[in-house]
Amino acid sequence: LGTGLKRGDILLMEGHTAVAIDSDDHRDTFPVMITNCAHSRIRSGPGTEYETLQIVTNGDILEAEGTTTDMDGFSWYRVQVDTLDMMGYTSSAYAMPLPQGKCTGDTWLRKEAGTKGKAVIVIPKGAKPYLTGRQTKVGIRVWYETVYGGHRGWASSLYVKK
């Protein structure tokens, strides 16, 4: 935030209590996927009373910087708003953080599942890509839908483990 706030500091936002997420400009991000709904809203603050900045749909993946809790005890992820150069909030009731897998050998992240899918980026051995939970079988091999390096695609279960 660059304001001297520390993680856990209490602050007031338009008459509502919020918790500071971080105090520096180099925060770790993690992907969250919209689930449990057809559409969800990214809001200007952590609560339903805040303005809608963007509508997202089931299966969309957003970059989150952390969580905060509103006055009613509901959790919200602080996420990047695609249509604007700013951050917003989406309810944790409609989003889940993606679990990480482990890459056991260099492998391609591909646009489509299977070795005929267009190669997008190499996932190096030892990397921990995020897994969406979707999988498909092509031939004898299972492929996991994977998020790595800002890209979303498919990686072989031969090299990416849950």
Side-chain angles (χ1 to χ4, degrees), residues 1-3 22-28 65:
L1 300 175
T3 61
D22 213 330
S23 62
D24 60 32
D25 294 326
H26 304 287
R27 294 174 288 275
D28 291 328
E65 287 188 350

Side-chain angles (χ1 to χ4, degrees), residues 83-161:
T83 56
L84 305 168
D85 188 24
M86 64 187 304
M87 301 299 288
Y89 295 83
T90 191
S91 172
S92 65
Y94 304 111
M96 65 172 218
L98 297 180
Q100 285 185 290
K102 180 166 181 165
C103 195
T104 60
D106 292 353
T107 190
W108 284 105
L109 180 70
R110 297 182 177 274
K111 195 156 188 78
E112 301 86 23
T115 56
K116 294 181 181 178
K118 181 180 177 188
V120 177
I121 187 173
V122 171
I123 305 173
K125 179 180 181 178
K128 294 183 177 180
Y130 292 95
L131 306 174
T132 68
R134 291 182 58 203
Q135 64 183 49
T136 190
K137 193 170 184 181
V138 177
I140 62 168
R141 184 75 50 224
V142 173
W143 292 75
Y144 299 129
E145 188 178 36
T146 304
V147 177
Y148 181 77
H151 301 277
R152 184 176 183 173
W154 296 87
S156 170
S157 62
L158 183 62
Y159 297 106
V160 174
K161 307 298 180 192

Side-chain angles (χ1 to χ4, degrees), residues 4-98:
L5 293 171
K6 297 182 297 301
R7 182 180 296 278
D9 283 354
I10 305 297
L11 59 144
L12 202 59
M13 293 176 56
E14 297 179 27
H16 300 277
T17 304
V19 179
I21 294 170
D22 213 330
S23 62
D24 60 32
D25 294 326
H26 304 287
R27 294 174 288 275
D28 291 328
T29 63
F30 56 94
V32 295
M33 186 165 63
I34 300 300
T35 58
N36 304 324
C37 63
H39 297 85
S40 185
R41 298 172 188 272
I42 298 177
R43 297 184 177 273
S44 61
T48 57
E49 67 276 12
Y50 290 94
E51 171 189 6
T52 297
L53 301 175
Q54 182 179 349
I55 303 282
V56 290
T57 59
N58 193 45
D60 284 352
I61 295 177
L62 310 171
E63 281 298 312
E65 287 188 350
T67 60
T68 190
T69 304
D70 66 19
M71 286 182 54
D72 298 320
F74 295 106
S75 294
W76 295 78
Y77 292 110
R78 186 168 189 251
V79 297
Q80 178 66 44
V81 179
D82 287 341
T83 56
L84 305 168
D85 188 24
M86 64 187 304
M87 301 299 288
Y89 295 83
T90 191
S91 172
S92 65
Y94 304 111
M96 65 172 218
L98 297 180

